[in-house]
């Protein structure tokens, strides 16, 4: 403070400690002397708001209002008048324009009002704090929440459209569930990569590897430059690669061991890119007799989403698809580039002749999402299991561990808490378990446990088959 005296009982050491505390907290102090109508500004406050230290006219509190952002002046004046009339303290935040460099900063001003015998304000002693960083962080958080809300709604709308369109072109419930689950997984893979890059873009090679690595690792080849796509284009390409891969597994090159799929991509002169999918070594190919949703998705939806076009040539020697995308689909290289997804083993699915049998087994379900827990309970019960639980919280799961359990299905995260204590307890009892999780760990099971992982969204038959496999080997 420019003028300060050591008060009664206050030592020089205490004064020094106060000075150091204010400095450490990044605070500047001031005094408003009503009798003399001046602000006494400390060097620390002067450094924060960009004015000279010392005394400056208060003008009834309006002396520094010219430095307040025009949009905040009226609100600040109202708050100040109300506090002076009714309270013994005040606390306000507003934008301040530094006169020395013109920067706009957010400041917090707080103080204690000392009143005279007549009840009128005699002085105010207070502090000033630069809260620009916190304010900017709050704004970023609000922007992120709004962006997240927008993305979630887009994802839900996409999932709804996929469900409706898949249902319209599917003749049986099992076929619908299989086709719909596959498309959901393609979207999940793309979103996992986008999340790792903070939604700034996803690499084409990562998208292709995520879709093809688990299908036929030795029958596919990928080649092209590092190329990143916008979130919209990444989702579109992921779905397109999924449709091509499913057709190749059912009818094309990946339906036989001698077949091969070659995926190549490159930039175009206009800033877009082109990707070619070439199948060889498979059975003889002919154009499909019926146009399903997969074909519609490829030929109409994918092209529009990529601001380009898709051409599919059903040559006798193998399908050849060419996807062209406009420059709008290409994203700059993100600051955070995730590692390439680790090759994942094919996920266990139920045998074609029926669901896995869990007859007589006691299976613990630990899942915090109620709908998923109910789906697991129904599916495992239909497979013959006696369900223990479901447990939705960590404490519920731990309390169920004293019951007879043959196997368990664990969600990795229970309302923000790790399921590790449950997994450790099961491991000590030599009870096998499978993780059914939405987390995209590339390095194996969560927590480093030696356990199968089924990644959400999943088909319930995958979980039942994984549990059956555990019981068969335990």
């Amino acid at each position: 403070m420019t003028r300060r005296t050591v008060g009664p009982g206050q030592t020089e050491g205490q004064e020094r400690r106060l000075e150091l505390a204010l400095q450490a907290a990044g605070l500047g102090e001031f005094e408003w002397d009503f009798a003399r109508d001046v602000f006494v500004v400390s060097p620390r406050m002067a450094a924060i708001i960009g004015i000279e230290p010392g005394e400056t006219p208060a003008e009834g509190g309006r002396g520094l209002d010219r430095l307040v952002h025009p949009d905040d002046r009226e609100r600040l004046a109202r708050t100040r008048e109300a506090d002076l009339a009714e309270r013994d303290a005040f606390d306000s935040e507003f934008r301040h324009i530094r006169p020395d460099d013109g920067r706009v900063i957010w400041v917090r001003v707080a103080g204690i009002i000392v009143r005279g015998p007549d009840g009128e304000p005699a002085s105010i002693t207070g502090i000033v704090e630069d809260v620009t960083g916190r304010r900017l962080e709050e704004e970023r958080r609000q922007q992120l929440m709004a962006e997240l809300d927008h993305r979630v709604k887009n994802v839900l709308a996409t999932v709804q459209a996929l469900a409706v369109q898949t249902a319209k072109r599917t003749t049986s419930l099992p076929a619908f569930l299989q086709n719909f689950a596959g498309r959901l997984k393609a979207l999940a893979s793309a979103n996992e990569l986008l999340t790792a890059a903070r939604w700034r873009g996803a690499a084409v090679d990562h998208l292709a590897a995520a879709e093809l690595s688990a299908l036929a690792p030795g029958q596919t080849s990928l080649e092209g430059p590092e190329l990143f796509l916008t979130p919209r284009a990444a989702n579109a390409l992921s779905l397109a690669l999924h449709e091509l891969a499913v057709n190749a597994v059912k009818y094309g090159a990946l339906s036989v061991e001698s077949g091969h799929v070659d995926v190549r991509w490159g930039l175009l002169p206009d800033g877009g890119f082109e990707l070619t999918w070439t199948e060889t070594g498979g059975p003889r190919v002919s154009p499909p007799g019926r146009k399903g949703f997969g074909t519609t998705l490829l030929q109409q939806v994918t092209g529009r989403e990529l601001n380009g076009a898709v051409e599919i040539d059903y040559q006798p020697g193998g399908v050849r698809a060419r996807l062209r995308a406009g420059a709008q689909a290409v994203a700059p290289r993100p600051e955070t580039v995730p590692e390439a997804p680790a090759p994942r083993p094919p996920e266990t699915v139920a045998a074609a002749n029926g669901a896995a049998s869990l007859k007589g087994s006691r299976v613990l379900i630990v899942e915090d999402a109620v709908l998923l827990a109910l789906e697991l309970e129904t599916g495992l019960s239909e497979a013959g299991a006696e369900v223990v639980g479901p447990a939705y919280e960590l404490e519920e799961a731990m309390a169920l561990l004293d019951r007879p359990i043959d196997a368990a299905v664990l969600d990795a995260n229970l309302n923000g808490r790790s399921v590790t204590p449950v997994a450790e307890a099961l491991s000590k009892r030599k009870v096998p378990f499978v993780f059914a999780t939405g987390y995209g760990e590339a390095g194996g099971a969560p927590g480093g446990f030696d356990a199968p992982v089924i990644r959400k969204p999943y088909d319930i038959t995958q979980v039942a088959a994984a549990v059956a496999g555990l019981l068969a080997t335990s």
Side-chain angles (χ1 to χ4, degrees):
M1 186 72 75
T2 300
R3 64 185 187 102
R4 173 181 285 156
T5 59
V6 179
Q10 187 177 21
T11 68
E12 294 287 347
Q14 290 173 327
E15 178 75 5
R16 178 58 179 164
R17 286 194 293 273
L18 177 60
E19 294 279 349
L20 291 174
L22 289 171
Q23 182 178 350
L27 303 176
E29 68 273 31
F30 71 91
E31 182 180 353
W32 178 2
D33 187 327
F34 281 73
R36 296 192 302 133
D37 196 27
V38 295
F39 289 126
V40 184
V41 178
S42 75
R44 276 186 293 270
M45 174 177 171
I48 291 173
I49 66 174
I51 65 173
E52 292 295 325
E55 294 187 353
T56 186
E59 300 177 17
R62 298 180 297 276
L64 297 178
D65 282 3
R66 60 184 176 82
L67 301 180
V68 177
H69 193 283
D71 293 345
D72 294 344
R73 286 176 191 166
E74 184 178 348
R75 173 177 59 83
L76 177 62
R78 287 199 310 268
T79 301
R80 182 172 58 216
E81 290 176 7
D83 289 342
L84 290 174
E86 304 170 5
R87 303 179 60 200
D88 292 330
F90 71 93
D91 195 328
S92 184
E93 293 186 6
F94 53 89
R95 284 166 291 180
H96 170 83
I97 305 172
R98 289 176 56 107
D100 55 345
D101 56 19
R103 288 190 298 121
V104 177
I105 63 172
W106 277 93
V107 295
R108 172 183 175 238
V109 180
I112 299 298
I113 302 171
V114 178
R115 299 184 182 275
D118 59 358
E120 293 298 315
S123 67
I124 295 178
T125 300
I127 56 95
V128 171
E129 178 184 9
D130 185 344
V131 294
T132 306
R134 173 170 62 76
R135 278 284 187 163
L136 291 177
E137 184 61 31
E138 289 175 359
E139 290 178 7
R140 281 194 292 268
R141 189 179 297 110
Q142 290 175 358
Q143 290 172 354
L144 287 174
M145 290 301 295
E147 189 176 355
L148 177 62
D149 180 65
H150 172 71
R151 287 175 183 165
V152 168
K153 288 176 180 176
N154 275 348
V155 169
L156 291 175
T158 300
V159 170
Q160 182 183 42
L162 282 176
V164 171
Q165 294 300 322
T166 302
K168 285 182 177 179
R169 292 169 171 82
T170 308
T171 57
S172 68
L173 179 59
F176 165 78
L177 293 175
Q178 182 179 14
N179 293 337
F180 182 56
R183 287 162 183 154
L184 277 185
K185 283 185 176 293
L187 282 178
S189 295
N191 278 265
E192 184 178 317
L193 292 169
L194 289 167
T195 299
R198 299 180 182 177
W199 276 79
R200 295 292 181 260
V204 172
D205 58 332
H206 292 182
L207 291 166
E211 187 58 44
L212 296 174
S213 63
L215 290 177
Q219 295 179 250
T220 59
S221 57
L222 311 175
E223 184 177 343
E226 184 180 67
L227 181 62
F228 292 89
L229 306 185
T230 64
R232 178 176 177 177
N235 280 322
L237 182 62
S238 185
L239 279 174
L241 291 173
H242 171 74
E243 297 302 328
L244 289 168
V246 167
N247 289 334
V249 169
K250 287 182 176 180
Y251 317 110
L254 299 183
S255 67
V256 295
E257 293 184 0
S258 59
H260 188 84
V261 171
D262 180 73
V263 181
R264 297 173 184 263
W265 62 90
L267 282 168
L268 297 174
D270 64 358
F273 75 93
E274 180 176 274
L275 180 143
T276 58
W277 169 288
T278 306
E279 298 182 29
T280 56
R284 186 176 179 84
V285 172
S286 59
R290 185 179 66 89
K291 187 176 181 180
F293 177 57
T295 303
T296 301
L297 191 151
L298 278 169
Q299 294 181 332
Q300 296 182 23
V301 179
T302 303
R304 288 185 179 274
E305 291 291 286
L306 294 176
N307 296 106
V310 175
E311 299 174 4
I312 304 177
D313 187 5
Y314 296 94
Q315 299 178 5
V319 170
R320 179 181 173 86
R322 183 167 63 176
L323 288 71
R324 282 202 193 98
Q328 303 96 318
V330 178
R333 191 179 196 273
E335 294 180 5
T336 302
V337 179
E339 296 181 2
R344 293 177 182 170
E347 291 182 321
T348 307
V349 295
N353 59 353
S357 175
L358 300 175
K359 187 175 181 180
S361 61
R362 295 158 296 192
V363 181
L364 169 67
I365 295 175
V366 182
E367 169 62 64
D368 62 357
V370 178
L371 284 176
L372 289 180
L374 291 176
E375 182 186 11
L376 283 169
E377 183 176 14
T378 300
L380 298 181
S381 296
E382 289 176 350
E386 176 188 337
V387 171
V388 180
Y392 304 103
E393 302 283 350
L394 182 61
E395 289 78 10
E396 287 182 85
M398 297 298 292
L400 292 174
L401 293 180
D402 59 351
R403 299 189 185 184
I405 299 171
D406 299 311
V409 179
L410 308 180
D411 185 9
N413 184 292
L414 300 174
N415 294 312
R417 302 174 68 183
S418 173
V419 79
T420 296
V422 179
E424 289 176 343
L426 292 171
S427 294
K428 289 180 181 178
R429 290 176 51 182
K430 300 188 183 306
V431 175
F433 52 87
V434 58
F435 285 104
T437 176
Y439 284 86
E441 297 91 343
F449 290 98
D450 183 16
V453 179
I454 303 295
R455 302 194 185 276
K456 300 174 182 177
Y458 50 68
D459 184 332
I460 190 63
T461 58
Q462 292 176 271
V463 181
V467 173
L470 290 175
L471 294 172
T473 57
S474 62

